[in-house]
Amino acid sequence: MVAGGDGTVGWILGSLTELNLKNRAPVPPIGIIPLGTGNDLSRSFGWGGSFPFGWRSAVRNSLYRAITGPICHLDSWQVIVSMPEGEKIELPHCLRHLEDQSSIQDRDAKEELPEWFSRFEGVFYNYFSIGMDAQVAYGFHHLRDEKPYIAQGPIANKFIYTGYGCTQGWFVTPCMADPSFRGLKNILRLHIKKVNCPDWEQIHVPKSVRAIVALNLHNYGSGRNPWGNPKPEYLEKRGFVEANVDDGLLEIIGLKQGWHVSFVMVELISAKHIAQAAAIRLEIRGGESKQAYMQMDGEPWKQPIDCERLTFVDIQRVPFQSVLIGGS
């Protein structure tokens, strides 16, 4: 039983994956006691978005559900960031410097890069994103670190995060002079691999999109479902399949300006559907902008980008699925 938020659950899942890699079976499934802010992993597997105040009976109920609940599986995704050597980066906890390429799953991601490239590795279970949402998360994390007294709990965190997000670039028009307020199409190219297809396919990124999110779970941002529930006819027309947490696919969505994001987060509309992918490659080149903001499962960082040399982000599925207990 893991008591904590998505970060704590992800940490334990990562440790259990290490047991898989070392052939130290059997690897136990986990149940969740949700004590975090978003608790999206907990929501996705039926453990709820918060823990009741009547905690004694709730703990007994959680243990009973852990004993009787069904076993579920969850995909996890490896992220490899390759960047020009010499650029300074403040690594988040979710990334580590990659010395040995033997842990890279995708053969294409193992391509020999010049010596002046550094590589970093991480794993996510919920989502990876680049753009304005990561920029807001980065600013919020720094604000909370500088003034820890303003964030005293999950409810306070959500109010402060919402207010802080409204002061950032979501509600600033794309014609602003600051390049960080413009669409992502200016700095990146998106390539994907579809299921059972060895070739990369370049995907058009609409110029209005200011954040790209690769979703593994149905829950994002404290229980929202930005992919929505598309009808079978729409899925067939777009060449999509129904989204599941163990289907080996990521749902790639785009978020536009502030009003679009607001409607998505209250689930009046779905986000912009860009693609479904079994693997993703981002090629990022700076121009006027000298950095791009990224995040994995709520851990943001500021990624330096060069106007002459590309930065690559490769995402591929980890071969071992995590095992959880369904709490519903």
Side-chain angles (χ1 to χ4, degrees):
M1 293 297 291
V2 181
D6 289 340
T8 306
V9 177
W11 168 45
I12 298 300
L13 290 176
S15 299
L16 295 177
T17 298
E18 290 294 323
L19 295 181
N20 259 321
L21 293 172
K22 296 176 182 178
N23 295 317
R24 293 175 60 183
V27 176
I30 70 165
I32 304 172
I33 295 176
L35 300 180
T37 301
N39 298 313
D40 288 313
L41 272 165
S42 175
R43 296 172 197 268
S44 296
F45 289 92
W47 294 96
S50 61
F51 202 62
F53 286 109
W55 63 270
R56 293 179 189 275
S57 60
V59 166
R60 285 196 296 270
N61 183 40
S62 294
L63 293 175
Y64 176 75
R65 287 190 288 168
I67 294 169
T68 60
I71 299 299
C72 307
H73 293 88
L74 170 69
D75 290 331
S76 54
W77 298 83
Q78 182 188 45
V79 176
I80 304 292
V81 180
S82 306
M83 58 178 285
E85 187 77 56
E87 299 283 358
K88 293 183 179 180
I89 180 173
E90 183 181 344
L91 284 180
H93 295 297
C94 59
L95 287 180
R96 64 182 179 89
H97 196 273
L98 183 61
E99 299 285 355
D100 181 11
Q101 294 191 28
S102 62
S103 64
I104 300 177
Q105 308 301 329
D106 193 310
R107 184 184 64 187
D108 290 340
K110 288 184 178 180
E111 293 173 347
E112 287 295 329
L113 289 172
E115 292 183 358
W116 39 266
F117 264 80
S118 298
R119 281 185 153 176
F120 305 94
E121 175 193 34
V123 174
F124 71 89
Y125 300 90
N126 189 349
Y127 68 91
F128 169 89
S129 71
I130 176 172
M132 185 56 68
D133 72 321
Q135 181 174 339
V136 171
Y138 181 85
F140 171 75
H141 275 250
H142 276 258
L143 178 67
R144 190 172 56 178
D145 290 342
E146 293 170 2
K147 302 177 180 179
Y149 55 86
I150 67 174
Q152 298 295 327
I155 296 177
N157 279 343
K158 289 176 183 177
F159 273 113
I160 295 166
Y161 193 96
T162 302
Y164 183 81
C166 291
T167 66
Q168 300 302 298
W170 278 126
F171 288 92
V172 181
T173 58
C175 61
M176 290 289 292
D178 190 334
S180 64
F181 291 138
R182 298 177 186 166
L184 287 177
K185 186 177 181 180
N186 297 317
I187 65 168
L188 68 76
R189 286 184 293 184
L190 169 64
H191 302 263
I192 70 167
K193 280 184 180 180
K194 295 183 177 179
V195 176
N196 299 323
C197 181
D199 299 321
W200 290 102
E201 176 185 345
Q202 184 169 351
I203 300 298
H204 170 72
V205 177
K207 63 180 180 181
S208 59
V209 167
R210 300 166 71 187
I212 291 175
V213 185
L215 286 171
N216 189 38
L217 300 183
H218 298 158
N219 288 286
Y220 165 83
S222 301
R224 279 71 174 186
N225 182 9
W227 182 257
N229 298 291
K231 295 181 179 180
E233 302 81 37
Y234 173 82
L235 293 175
E236 184 178 359
K237 180 181 178 181
R238 293 291 307 270
F240 296 158
V241 297
E242 185 178 354
N244 288 294
V245 298
D246 60 353
D247 59 4
L249 291 172
L250 290 170
E251 283 68 53
I252 305 174
I253 61 170
L255 300 173
K256 304 177 185 178
Q257 74 284 354
W259 295 114
H260 177 251
V261 175
S262 301
F263 291 149
V264 169
M265 296 306 282
V266 297
E267 299 187 324
L268 289 176
I269 60 174
S270 60
K272 175 70 175 176
H273 294 163
I274 296 178
Q276 280 184 319
I280 298 173
R281 168 169 286 182
L282 299 174
E283 298 179 0
I284 308 165
R285 187 190 299 274
E288 298 177 46
S289 181
K290 302 300 181 185
Q291 67 271 326
Y293 292 86
M294 303 181 188
Q295 65 171 335
M296 293 195 309
D297 288 353
E299 285 198 59
W301 73 94
K302 187 190 293 186
Q303 178 67 46
I305 54 178
D306 194 299
C307 62
E308 296 181 357
R309 297 176 294 178
L310 288 171
T311 294
F312 299 93
V313 178
D314 287 285
I315 302 174
Q316 54 270 329
R317 189 170 68 89
V318 176
F320 302 105
Q321 288 184 319
S322 299
V323 185
L324 296 92
I325 302 169
S328 55

